[in-house]
Amino acid sequence: MVRKPVELDGTGHRGQRTALKTIRGLGSARSGTEHFIQQRVTAIANFVLILVLVVVAIALSGKSYPDAVAFVGSPFVAVPLALAIISVCIHMKLGVQVVIEDYVHAEIAKMLLLLGNAFFALAVMAVSLFSIGRIMLQGLVLGSG
Amino acid sequence: MSATTEGGPAGRRPRPLSPHLSVYRPIVTMVMSIMHRITGMMNIAGLVLVVGYITALAMGQDTYALASAVYGSWLGRIVLVTFTWSLLHHMLGGVRHAIWDLGHAFGDVRYQLSWLTAIGSVSLTIILWVVIVVLEAV
């Protein structure tokens, strides 16, 4: 029995791809769909978390050091702040990646920039989470003293 | 890679390139799409500012006082207002794209939606900072 080729793109060509691969939409790049979805999932998370953090930022302004430490170190601020940092960093990494892929065509420069982009996002995340942790511990020390 | 080398060996006439942005009359949907990318890049600087402030607080009293003074200065305020606008523009643009991603608002309303990003981001920035200044004065 001869199987008819899958014609999802309407051209009748599916190259070396199997029918299953064509159906899954995974072309030669083998990725892309999850990039699109992650970008949007983090966008929704960012939107909600940033609305919360705007209120936090306004409440924080003008606070003395002990008050600021106690405020940012409290679970109601520290947890949404940490979540926002993680979500924003993933969103930023994905967004900048697209910009690099759109405008940088020299292979080595592109590779280095993509690598730097991934490292930068992770570094921002790590520094932020460390700082939030340190503020929480500082809040405990000041609170008990 | 420059346009001249893409056509083949050096010295040969460059191959024609497809028309790019400069041939199009700017329309609001296109400008807002470009602004979405620009504000996205600007928000990186804003994130660094936010993380810088958190880290200053984590480092201790002196760095917190220094960061508060810098962010509270006139120049600091101008940068923060710009970041507020950039963030709101990108957020409103994101909502517009979400509406389009769900398959809605492809009619003429798409122009109004795009204008809403431009006008809304500026208006909300002004409202937010008026609230902040009023709260500080009280």
Side-chain angles (χ1 to χ4, degrees):
Chain A
M1 194 183 105
V2 181
R3 282 194 305 171
K4 276 183 73 177
V6 181
E7 290 192 45
L8 278 189
D9 58 358
T11 63
H13 296 285
R14 58 184 175 94
Q16 299 293 313
R17 286 175 297 172
T18 62
L20 184 62
K21 248 193 146 183
T22 310
I23 294 287
R24 282 178 176 159
L26 302 173
S28 57
R30 289 181 294 277
S31 66
T33 311
E34 83 285 353
H35 181 116
F36 179 93
I37 292 170
Q38 277 177 20
Q39 188 81 85
R40 274 139 192 88
V41 169
T42 51
I44 294 165
N46 290 350
F47 189 89
V48 176
L49 291 165
I50 286 169
L51 289 186
V52 174
L53 292 184
V54 166
V55 179
V56 167
I58 293 173
L60 179 63
S61 83
K63 270 195 174 19
S64 69
Y65 174 71
D67 287 351
V69 165
F71 182 62
V72 177
S74 72
F76 299 105
V77 175
V79 172
L81 182 59
L83 286 175
I85 292 289
I86 293 168
S87 180
V88 164
C89 284
I90 295 170
H91 191 82
M92 172 177 72
K93 186 256 174 190
L94 295 172
V96 175
Q97 183 187 328
V98 171
V99 173
I100 293 169
E101 287 166 350
D102 276 358
Y103 301 131
V104 183
H105 304 301
E107 204 58 31
I108 292 174
K110 185 169 78 179
M111 286 300 166
L112 289 176
L113 282 170
L114 288 174
L115 201 61
N117 175 44
F119 288 171
F120 176 72
L122 276 174
V124 170
M125 211 190 284
V127 169
S128 307
L129 295 180
F130 173 81
S131 292
I132 295 167
R134 194 155 188 225
I135 291 165
M136 286 165 67
L137 293 174
Q138 193 66 21
L140 288 179
V141 172
L142 290 177
S144 65
Chain B
M1 197 172 286
S2 72
T4 44
T5 54
E6 249 168 350
R12 202 186 282 180
R13 205 158 64 103
R15 304 301 303 152
L17 297 169
S18 59
H20 200 47
L21 289 174
S22 56
V23 305
Y24 298 107
R25 181 173 56 87
I27 53 171
V28 65
T29 44
M30 162 187 163
V31 174
M32 285 310 118
S33 174
I34 294 167
M35 288 305 293
H36 192 72
R37 186 161 270 197
I38 292 172
T39 52
M41 295 299 108
M42 285 171 72
N43 289 343
I44 299 172
L47 175 65
V48 170
L49 287 178
V50 171
V51 171
Y53 198 69
I54 298 168
T55 306
L57 178 60
M59 283 169 73
Q61 195 152 12
D62 296 341
T63 46
Y64 176 65
L66 177 67
S68 298
V70 172
Y71 284 43
S73 68
W74 270 107
L75 187 64
R77 281 291 166 95
I78 291 168
V79 172
L80 287 179
V81 169
T82 311
F83 173 44
T84 308
W85 167 78
S86 165
L87 187 60
L88 283 167
H89 193 286
H90 201 75
M91 284 170 82
L92 289 175
V95 171
R96 193 181 72 247
H97 280 289
I99 293 168
W100 283 338
D101 283 346
L102 294 170
H104 300 292
F106 286 123
D108 282 350
V109 72
R110 72 183 186 273
Y111 298 115
Q112 287 148 23
L113 267 187
S114 299
W115 275 112
L116 200 65
T117 306
I119 298 164
S121 62
V122 174
S123 318
L124 286 175
T125 304
I126 294 169
I127 292 168
L128 193 59
W129 277 94
V130 166
V131 168
I132 291 168
V133 170
V134 167
L135 282 177
E136 277 177 352
V138 172

